[in-house]
Amino acid sequence: MPDALKLYKAKRNFSVTSEPEEGGQASPDALTFVIQKHWATRLHYDFRLELDGTMKSWAVPKGPSYDTHDRRMAIHVEDHPISYSDFEGTIPPQQYGAGKVIIWDKGTWEPIGDPRAGFAKGEVKFEMHGHKMHGRWVLVRLRGHEDDKQEPWLLIKENDEYARPAAEFSVIDEFPDSVKDLPMPGRTTDTAVANAKVAQLKAERDGAEPAKAGKAAKAAKPGKETAAAAAKTPAASKAPRTRRGAMPEGAVKGDLPATLNPELATLVDGPPQKPEEWIYEIKFDGYRMLTRIEGKDIRLITRNGNDWTDKLLPLQKEIRRMKLPDGWYDGEIVVHDENGKPNFNLLQLAFDGSNKAQVVYFVFDVPYCKGHDLRDVRLDDRRALLQELLAAKPSDTVRFSAEFGTDPDQLVVAACQIGLEGVIGKRRDSRYVTRRSPEWIKLKCGQRQEFVIGGYTDPQGSRTGIGSLLLGYYDDEGVLRYAGNVGSGFNGASLRHLREVLEGMETEKSPFPARAVPGRTNHWVRPELVAEVSFSEWTAGDAVRHPVFQGLRKDKPARSVVREQAKHVQETPDTSTPAKGGKAAAKAASKPAAKPAAKAAAKPAAKSARAKPVDTDLPGNLPATFRVTHGERVMDKESGVTKMDLVRYYALVGQLMMEHLEGRPVSLVRAPEGVGGELFFQKHVTDTAKMPGVAQMDQALDPDHPSMTRIATAEGLLSSAQWNVVEIHSQNATGKHYDTPDRFVFDLDPGEGVSWAQVQEAAALMRVFLEELGLTPFLKTSGGKGLHVVVPIKPKLDWDTVKDFTHAVVDHLARTLPDRFAAKSGAKNRVGRIFIDYLRNGRGATTVSAWSPRVRPGMGISVPVRWDELPGLTSGAHWTVKTVHERLDEGNAPWAEYAKSAATLTKAMKAIGFKPAKKK
């Protein structure tokens, strides 16, 4: 029995306790540590470091702290056997240390200097690699206590990138649970194989051929085994193209689209089961960049459609020198550090003029080329063509992202060892789709994603600028959820710069739900900035562990930031409808199809891992597979309408509503907190992939602003409801004739003291007047206090002319009947009168759509009605979400003559003496 374990064994009765008596093997390649959370007489943490065949042990009453100012008492106790590192259980009563024990953390540690000399001296420095413990630490023995039965030491966090103030982060509070079932971090099962992959990764990173990457690569000579492996690779069995540069099978002639959404990879929780069916590339730490080449016009476009050509003029010049054929090229731009590794911070500096480092463009796909649409071509054939094109004009700046290796497990290990983000896998036979695809996968070393900055804390001690950033992400209902804070990864300059930027964005109200963020001294900012953050894992409380700030992202809008959820690899190819070829493909790439609504409504909507399926016997066209999160949430206390009720409502009226929405730009009113809570009026939906059936309008309709939004199919109504959209407002023109509206609307808005009977009278008067002008007005309830009078017109006149005409109509009525009508808005201008709101007729203005609910108590809905039904209406909210079934049989029948009733305004303008303003 080793002398070191005498005291340990003497204190325990191993016939009673389940603790190990001895045993355990020392690790051959790394020293291990374990920290056990121990509920004995008092809760404490047993801190154990492997050395010389035993676990050197200390009892730390308060547990470790990442604050460098904290000196945590650590009482030196007897050595434990190495096998004790696996012990988790309950020490029986009456036994030494009786109480529950869990493995709170485990991993490996590296001594800094000679650990034995350090123990003798009373100062041991080391670096830890665990699930919870990271970075540099020191154990210091207190002087003057040499005669104590148990020596007191101090456990202190060294100042490094992991250090964090106690006011911002408590590791024992943040991570209270066991890690027993988690794998040992920092272990490599096959070092030789991993090292070979490291050499390959370095070669790929530096732009060299994999075959030249070190001795490991040189040793891999072709033979029977490699030939057999190649025969199993799907790409190897394909016949090569008959001549250099020929278009591969599946290519179809097609116009080059003006815009293109890139294919996005899906984060997965493990490699595919059939790795030979996939190719693997480096996951570059940079910005996704698409290149559109059409003759001499070369544009560099971000994944969100932002034109960055002016920021990348040297790269544009190099692409022009290469004389690549017309097409769309897909890749990633990076800047390498002095070690040849992609560095995200250096890439950001390259845009502000403070850094002259070369931007390198790694190109990995070509979905359009030489007048052909290649999206239905196999990936390996597209890449073969791309490699030929790039090889014809070699460049140090524009490089082909080469394939290497077939073992994703070892590739990820190698990528992590040299500090890369991870590996991208792509199915060899996959086509190119303009959305996130399960056939492109991300295998990451650690976790890393974007977060929205919702606020910051003040610095403490000698730190300047900020203490930490308050992070968030949008959930599937559009609510900004708190994800913890990040205080590591900054330098002095970045801290000061962030403080200046954030102070200019401060706001009084938190962008997070009430009481979501601890602390009372937080500074709130508008949620517009996006930070890229690496971290070890998510906590049980949905916060990030060990976050490190990597930089700000300028290529992604804040509204698109969600929590990345790892999925299982889809082992069968994506069988969704293939992309159309030729002109249809080009048109589809830039403008999503609007029809057929009924067919689209039958498709399943986006799923949520934690969502509950809707009942399969729902009325309407709601798919049985559609998923709703938090369906029980009450949206309106007065009526009791829940989120599930709202989804059911939209399923019922979807086809009726689409007749009023088809082709029109819309604005969405989101109410995450329901009636009475904060509302969000959203005109531009940037990430429509999350909302099936919701699409973007053609950018050319409003080139000075982001693309407008439209509801493309009835499924879009369900997607909107899932994102807490209650109201849907539409504009007075369609995308087909956007510069010339095809209707105008008068909103009869009663002021204080106006009875419902007066509103009905006002609507009847408006009808008579408009009909005298030769127009055909239609009536609908507003879902609120008033009524809407809608007049269809032929799309001949511009926005300003139509708006000015409606203003003239309102002025005429207000002058003729001043006791009934007001032409000016404002509460004091319409006391006892009705304001006829004509402002909804301007360019970009909207009116709530027919069949849309309202975010008001009772949840009334806007419903088309006949004029002869006017006397029987009880209010503008005559029908509600709860009572809509009473009106479904009528549907849109009251407006059956709407389309054929459109008239020009020539006669009406003459009748009231209106003359359009002359255009400058």
Side-chain angles (χ1 to χ4, degrees):
M1 178 179 68
D3 293 341
L5 295 181
K6 278 186 179 180
L7 184 57
Y8 168 80
K9 291 190 174 184
K11 289 184 174 183
R12 291 159 177 81
N13 183 349
F14 296 105
S15 64
V16 177
T17 181
S18 58
E19 297 166 275
E21 185 172 359
E22 55 188 15
Q25 294 295 319
S27 173
D29 55 354
L31 295 171
T32 62
F33 79 86
V34 68
I35 301 177
Q36 284 154 316
K37 191 174 180 179
H38 189 176
W39 287 267
T41 305
R42 293 181 181 179
L43 173 64
H44 64 276
Y45 293 78
D46 293 319
F47 188 94
R48 313 191 196 280
L49 301 176
E50 176 193 340
L51 188 67
D52 296 334
T54 64
M55 304 299 292
K56 304 296 182 184
S57 300
W58 292 260
V60 184
K62 291 186 177 181
S65 169
Y66 271 81
D67 193 323
T68 57
H69 298 92
D70 287 345
R71 268 67 173 152
R72 290 297 168 86
M73 182 64 69
I75 306 300
H76 190 204
V77 298
E78 71 276 10
D79 289 1
H80 284 50
I82 292 176
S83 58
Y84 205 94
S85 296
D86 294 324
F87 174 69
E88 185 171 280
T90 300
I91 301 173
Q94 311 304 319
Q95 293 297 301
Y96 176 74
K100 180 181 177 182
V101 177
I102 67 169
I103 298 174
W104 182 78
D105 197 18
K106 62 182 177 180
T108 61
W109 72 283
E110 299 176 45
I112 300 174
D114 185 346
R116 297 166 188 84
F119 274 117
K121 181 182 177 182
E123 182 176 322
V124 183
K125 292 187 176 184
F126 50 94
E127 188 166 350
M128 305 186 74
H129 310 285
H131 293 285
K132 304 171 185 181
M133 300 293 286
H134 297 274
R136 299 191 303 275
W137 300 75
V138 61
L139 278 163
V140 180
R141 185 170 58 226
L142 290 179
R143 306 301 180 187
H145 296 269
E146 290 78 5
D147 296 331
D148 288 2
K149 191 174 182 179
Q150 292 181 311
E151 296 174 338
W153 292 57
L154 296 176
L155 176 65
I156 305 170
K157 181 74 186 77
E158 296 270 67
N159 191 11
D160 61 12
E161 68 270 25
Y162 294 104
R164 297 177 65 180
E168 297 177 6
F169 175 71
S170 168
V171 67
I172 60 173
D173 293 332
E174 191 76 16
F175 314 129
D177 301 325
S178 169
V179 299
K180 179 177 176 60
D181 295 330
L182 297 180
M184 178 68 77
R187 294 296 186 89
T188 302
T189 55
D190 190 339
T191 304
V193 176
N195 287 340
K197 298 302 181 184
V198 168
Q200 288 182 298
L201 279 167
K202 287 181 177 178
E204 167 64 12
R205 181 194 68 194
D206 297 333
E209 291 296 326
K212 299 178 182 179
K215 296 180 180 179
K218 291 179 180 179
K221 297 179 179 179
K224 294 182 179 179
E225 292 183 5
T226 55
K232 294 180 180 180
T233 302
S237 62
K238 288 186 58 62
R241 298 193 302 279
T242 55
R243 59 186 175 85
R244 184 180 180 86
M247 288 297 107
E249 180 182 352
V252 293
K253 290 187 176 181
D255 296 338
L256 189 67
T259 61
L260 181 71
N261 293 324
E263 181 162 0
L264 303 178
T266 299
L267 179 65
V268 294
D269 56 6
Q273 295 180 3
K274 298 178 180 179
E276 70 276 4
E277 295 179 357
W278 299 71
I279 69 168
Y280 303 96
E281 303 171 61
I282 285 178
K283 187 180 188 309
F284 295 104
D285 192 4
Y287 281 153
R288 185 75 172 272
M289 195 61 57
L290 295 158
T291 300
R292 185 183 188 273
I293 302 177
E294 187 173 23
K296 295 182 179 179
D297 184 23
I298 299 174
R299 314 302 298 173
L300 292 154
I301 311 295
T302 71
R303 57 177 283 182
N304 288 302
N306 298 319
D307 191 332
W308 279 21
T309 309
D310 291 342
K311 298 181 180 182
L312 296 163
L313 293 177
L315 179 57
Q316 181 198 43
K317 181 179 179 181
E318 176 64 7
I319 294 173
R320 180 173 286 117
R321 181 198 68 81
M322 296 174 69
K323 296 182 179 180
L324 294 171
D326 289 1
W328 276 99
Y329 297 81
D330 194 356
E332 185 123 352
I333 58 172
V334 303
V335 168
H336 293 120
D337 62 17
E338 65 276 9
N339 298 315
K341 187 179 74 173
N343 186 295
F344 186 71
N345 286 323
L346 290 180
L347 176 60
Q348 290 184 305
L349 293 174
F351 294 120
D352 63 14
S354 62
N355 186 287
K356 302 300 182 182
Q358 182 186 38
V359 172
V360 178
Y361 187 25
F362 285 96
V363 189
F364 45 69
D365 214 325
V366 54
Y368 285 86
C369 186
K370 295 182 180 179
H372 287 77
D373 180 351
L374 306 183
R375 289 177 298 162
D376 274 346
V377 174
R378 289 173 56 105
L379 170 67
D380 45 15
D381 280 348
R382 293 198 308 270
R383 285 174 53 81
L385 173 62
L386 175 63
Q387 190 169 14
E388 283 183 11
L389 296 173
L390 296 178
K393 294 282 186 177
S395 169
D396 290 334
T397 302
V398 182
R399 307 178 187 176
F400 179 65
S401 176
E403 172 188 356
F404 64 100
T406 57
D407 188 339
D409 285 308
Q410 296 301 337
L411 290 175
V412 172
V413 170
C416 299
Q417 286 183 353
I418 62 173
L420 296 176
E421 264 203 88
V423 175
I424 294 288
K426 300 173 184 177
R427 189 179 290 278
R428 291 182 179 275
D429 60 356
S430 64
R431 61 194 185 89
Y432 191 97
V433 296
T434 54
R435 55 176 168 79
R436 194 171 297 280
S437 168
E439 296 187 302
W440 286 21
I441 60 174
K442 292 184 284 188
L443 296 162
K444 290 188 175 183
C445 293
Q447 300 209 49
R448 177 167 167 161
Q449 70 161 82
E450 300 82 30
F451 291 95
V452 179
I453 299 174
Y456 65 96
T457 63
D458 288 322
Q460 295 186 0
S462 60
R463 185 163 174 152
T464 61
I466 63 169
S468 66
L469 299 175
L470 305 178
L471 306 176
Y473 62 89
Y474 286 99
D475 66 10
D476 51 8
E477 297 171 5
V479 177
L480 186 65
R481 297 295 180 188
Y482 177 59
N485 52 10
V486 57
S488 300
F490 304 99
N491 56 35
S494 62
L495 288 171
R496 291 188 294 272
H497 172 70
L498 276 171
R499 181 73 183 224
E500 292 175 3
V501 172
L502 294 173
E503 283 182 342
M505 302 174 60
E506 285 196 21
T507 180
E508 293 183 0
K509 187 173 182 181
S510 169
F512 303 101
R515 298 181 295 280
V517 185
R520 299 182 180 180
T521 59
N522 300 317
H523 299 272
W524 309 119
V525 299
R526 298 189 304 273
E528 298 171 358
L529 287 181
V530 176
E532 176 133 355
V533 176
S534 60
F535 56 100
S536 61
E537 59 185 334
W538 289 91
T539 71
D542 288 337
V544 290
R545 285 180 174 167
H546 312 130
V548 178
F549 176 78
Q550 299 296 332
L552 295 176
R553 291 208 75 112
K554 300 177 182 179
D555 61 331
K556 295 184 179 181
R559 280 283 173 185
S560 70
V561 174
V562 298
R563 176 174 172 177
E564 285 192 343
Q565 300 279 5
K567 300 179 180 180
H568 291 297
V569 178
Q570 179 176 300
E571 294 296 342
T572 55
D574 188 352
T575 57
S576 56
T577 306
K580 296 178 181 179
K583 294 183 179 180
K587 187 176 180 180
S590 59
K591 193 173 182 181
K595 294 182 179 181
K599 183 177 180 181
K603 294 180 181 179
K607 298 181 177 66
S608 172
R610 294 184 291 180
K612 295 180 180 179
V614 175
D615 298 338
T616 56
D617 60 346
L618 288 177
N621 293 320
L622 187 64
T625 53
F626 184 78
R627 304 273 168 168
V628 180
T629 58
H630 305 294
E632 73 287 350
R633 177 180 295 149
V634 176
M635 302 295 289
D636 173 40
K637 293 181 181 179
E638 179 176 304
S639 63
V641 169
T642 64
K643 183 178 176 181
M644 183 69 77
D645 293 330
L646 185 64
V647 173
R648 287 182 169 130
Y649 169 79
Y650 272 118
L652 283 170
V653 303
Q655 297 304 322
L656 296 174
M657 197 169 180
M658 284 305 300
E659 294 180 28
H660 301 270
L661 295 175
E662 188 170 338
R664 294 186 186 276
V666 299
S667 294
L668 309 177
V669 179
R670 291 175 39 246
E673 300 171 4
V675 175
E678 186 174 5
L679 304 181
F680 300 90
F681 197 81
Q682 189 170 5
K683 188 175 182 180
H684 309 288
V685 177
T686 56
D687 193 353
T688 55
K690 301 173 187 172
M691 300 176 70
V694 177
Q696 292 183 339
M697 304 288 286
D698 190 338
Q699 176 71 50
L701 298 179
D702 194 14
D704 295 332
H705 299 90
S707 297
M708 296 180 290
T709 302
R710 66 188 176 95
I711 305 295
T713 69
E715 186 182 18
L717 300 172
L718 306 182
S719 300
S720 298
Q722 161 60 16
W723 276 72
N724 295 312
V725 171
V726 177
E727 298 185 10
I728 298 179
H729 296 235
S730 62
Q731 294 191 33
N732 288 343
T734 65
K736 188 176 181 180
H737 303 285
Y738 184 65
D739 291 327
T740 51
D742 62 0
R743 74 182 186 197
F744 57 82
V745 181
F746 294 114
D747 179 6
L748 305 183
D749 191 357
E752 183 181 348
V754 176
S755 68
W756 175 245
Q758 289 175 287
V759 177
Q760 291 170 300
E761 181 190 44
L765 288 171
M766 282 216 71
R767 176 193 183 190
V768 172
F769 180 66
L770 292 169
E771 287 179 342
E772 285 183 357
L773 297 179
L775 302 172
T776 305
F778 290 81
L779 181 67
K780 71 183 179 78
T781 63
S782 68
K785 296 185 297 181
L787 294 167
H788 291 164
V789 177
V790 184
V791 181
I793 58 175
K794 292 183 178 180
K796 302 291 186 181
L797 302 173
D798 61 79
W799 286 96
D800 290 341
T801 300
V802 172
K803 180 182 177 183
D804 290 346
F805 169 74
T806 61
H807 190 183
V809 169
V810 171
D811 279 345
H812 178 85
L813 287 171
R815 289 195 307 269
T816 306
L817 300 168
D819 59 330
R820 286 186 173 92
F821 297 116
K824 294 182 179 180
S825 61
K828 64 180 181 180
N829 295 323
R830 49 183 168 144
V831 174
R833 297 185 295 174
I834 295 170
F835 169 57
I836 308 176
D837 187 354
Y838 66 90
L839 300 173
R840 301 175 183 274
N841 299 310
R843 183 186 182 100
T846 60
T847 304
V848 72
S849 171
W851 300 105
S852 173
R854 306 302 299 275
V855 191
R856 302 187 180 195
M859 278 201 148
I861 56 178
S862 179
V863 177
V865 296
R866 298 182 181 86
W867 281 107
D868 59 11
E869 293 179 292
L870 176 59
L873 297 177
T874 57
S875 73
H878 185 90
W879 291 280
T880 69
V881 168
K882 284 286 191 180
T883 63
V884 66
H885 59 278
E886 300 171 2
R887 190 65 180 177
L888 287 176
D889 287 344
E890 282 290 332
N892 290 323
W895 285 23
E897 302 298 313
Y898 180 90
K900 63 179 66 175
S901 300
T904 64
L905 291 181
T906 305
K907 176 183 175 182
M909 290 191 293
K910 288 181 179 179
I912 61 172
F914 172 78
K915 294 183 178 181
K918 293 183 179 180
K919 304 300 179 184
K920 295 182 180 180

mmCIF file with all atom_site columns, all heavy atoms in Angstrom, residues 476 534-535 744 798:
data_model
loop_
_atom_site.group_PDB
_atom_site.id
_atom_site.type_symbol
_atom_site.label_atom_id
_atom_site.label_alt_id
_atom_site.label_comp_id
_atom_site.label_asym_id
_atom_site.label_entity_id
_atom_site.label_seq_id
_atom_site.pdbx_PDB_ins_code
_atom_site.Cartn_x
_atom_site.Cartn_y
_atom_site.Cartn_z
_atom_site.occupancy
_atom_site.B_iso_or_equiv
_atom_site.pdbx_formal_charge
_atom_site.auth_seq_id
_atom_site.auth_comp_id
_atom_site.auth_asym_id
_atom_site.auth_atom_id
_atom_site.pdbx_PDB_model_num
ATOM 1  N N   . ASP A 1 476 ? -38.416 31.482 -31.326 1.00 0.00 ? 476 ASP A N   1
ATOM 2  C CA  . ASP A 1 476 ? -39.277 31.228 -32.478 1.00 0.00 ? 476 ASP A CA  1
ATOM 3  C C   . ASP A 1 476 ? -40.547 32.064 -32.464 1.00 0.00 ? 476 ASP A C   1
ATOM 4  O O   . ASP A 1 476 ? -41.372 31.964 -33.369 1.00 0.00 ? 476 ASP A O   1
ATOM 5  C CB  . ASP A 1 476 ? -39.634 29.733 -32.578 1.00 0.00 ? 476 ASP A CB  1
ATOM 6  C CG  . ASP A 1 476 ? -40.163 29.180 -31.276 1.00 0.00 ? 476 ASP A CG  1
ATOM 7  O OD1 . ASP A 1 476 ? -40.401 29.971 -30.335 1.00 0.00 ? 476 ASP A OD1 1
ATOM 8  O OD2 . ASP A 1 476 ? -40.330 27.953 -31.191 1.00 0.00 ? 476 ASP A OD2 1
ATOM 9  N N   . SER A 1 534 ? -17.699 32.833 -28.870 1.00 0.00 ? 534 SER A N   1
ATOM 10 C CA  . SER A 1 534 ? -17.441 31.401 -28.687 1.00 0.00 ? 534 SER A CA  1
ATOM 11 C C   . SER A 1 534 ? -17.705 31.059 -27.231 1.00 0.00 ? 534 SER A C   1
ATOM 12 O O   . SER A 1 534 ? -17.560 31.897 -26.345 1.00 0.00 ? 534 SER A O   1
ATOM 13 C CB  . SER A 1 534 ? -16.000 31.057 -29.068 1.00 0.00 ? 534 SER A CB  1
ATOM 14 O OG  . SER A 1 534 ? -15.090 31.781 -28.259 1.00 0.00 ? 534 SER A OG  1
ATOM 15 N N   . PHE A 1 535 ? -18.108 29.810 -26.990 1.00 0.00 ? 535 PHE A N   1
ATOM 16 C CA  . PHE A 1 535 ? -18.419 29.391 -25.628 1.00 0.00 ? 535 PHE A CA  1
ATOM 17 C C   . PHE A 1 535 ? -18.353 27.874 -25.554 1.00 0.00 ? 535 PHE A C   1
ATOM 18 O O   . PHE A 1 535 ? -18.319 27.177 -26.581 1.00 0.00 ? 535 PHE A O   1
ATOM 19 C CB  . PHE A 1 535 ? -19.800 29.897 -25.203 1.00 0.00 ? 535 PHE A CB  1
ATOM 20 C CG  . PHE A 1 535 ? -20.933 29.490 -26.123 1.00 0.00 ? 535 PHE A CG  1
ATOM 21 C CD1 . PHE A 1 535 ? -21.769 28.437 -25.823 1.00 0.00 ? 535 PHE A CD1 1
ATOM 22 C CD2 . PHE A 1 535 ? -21.159 30.193 -27.304 1.00 0.00 ? 535 PHE A CD2 1
ATOM 23 C CE1 . PHE A 1 535 ? -22.800 28.073 -26.672 1.00 0.00 ? 535 PHE A CE1 1
ATOM 24 C CE2 . PHE A 1 535 ? -22.194 29.828 -28.167 1.00 0.00 ? 535 PHE A CE2 1
ATOM 25 C CZ  . PHE A 1 535 ? -23.009 28.767 -27.846 1.00 0.00 ? 535 PHE A CZ  1
ATOM 26 N N   . PHE A 1 744 ? -58.048 53.102 -52.807 1.00 0.00 ? 744 PHE A N   1
ATOM 27 C CA  . PHE A 1 744 ? -57.775 54.003 -51.695 1.00 0.00 ? 744 PHE A CA  1
ATOM 28 C C   . PHE A 1 744 ? -58.765 53.701 -50.587 1.00 0.00 ? 744 PHE A C   1
ATOM 29 O O   . PHE A 1 744 ? -59.817 53.075 -50.819 1.00 0.00 ? 744 PHE A O   1
ATOM 30 C CB  . PHE A 1 744 ? -57.768 55.474 -52.103 1.00 0.00 ? 744 PHE A CB  1
ATOM 31 C CG  . PHE A 1 744 ? -59.030 55.973 -52.764 1.00 0.00 ? 744 PHE A CG  1
ATOM 32 C CD1 . PHE A 1 744 ? -60.140 56.359 -51.998 1.00 0.00 ? 744 PHE A CD1 1
ATOM 33 C CD2 . PHE A 1 744 ? -59.105 56.103 -54.145 1.00 0.00 ? 744 PHE A CD2 1
ATOM 34 C CE1 . PHE A 1 744 ? -61.286 56.849 -52.603 1.00 0.00 ? 744 PHE A CE1 1
ATOM 35 C CE2 . PHE A 1 744 ? -60.244 56.590 -54.754 1.00 0.00 ? 744 PHE A CE2 1
ATOM 36 C CZ  . PHE A 1 744 ? -61.341 56.962 -53.986 1.00 0.00 ? 744 PHE A CZ  1
ATOM 37 N N   . ASP A 1 798 ? -50.190 58.055 -59.930 1.00 0.00 ? 798 ASP A N   1
ATOM 38 C CA  . ASP A 1 798 ? -49.134 57.822 -58.961 1.00 0.00 ? 798 ASP A CA  1
ATOM 39 C C   . ASP A 1 798 ? -49.655 58.025 -57.541 1.00 0.00 ? 798 ASP A C   1
ATOM 40 O O   . ASP A 1 798 ? -50.760 58.540 -57.318 1.00 0.00 ? 798 ASP A O   1
ATOM 41 C CB  . ASP A 1 798 ? -47.947 58.740 -59.226 1.00 0.00 ? 798 ASP A CB  1
ATOM 42 C CG  . ASP A 1 798 ? -48.329 60.209 -59.120 1.00 0.00 ? 798 ASP A CG  1
ATOM 43 O OD1 . ASP A 1 798 ? -48.423 60.717 -57.998 1.00 0.00 ? 798 ASP A OD1 1
ATOM 44 O OD2 . ASP A 1 798 ? -48.565 60.818 -60.189 1.00 0.00 ? 798 ASP A OD2 1
#
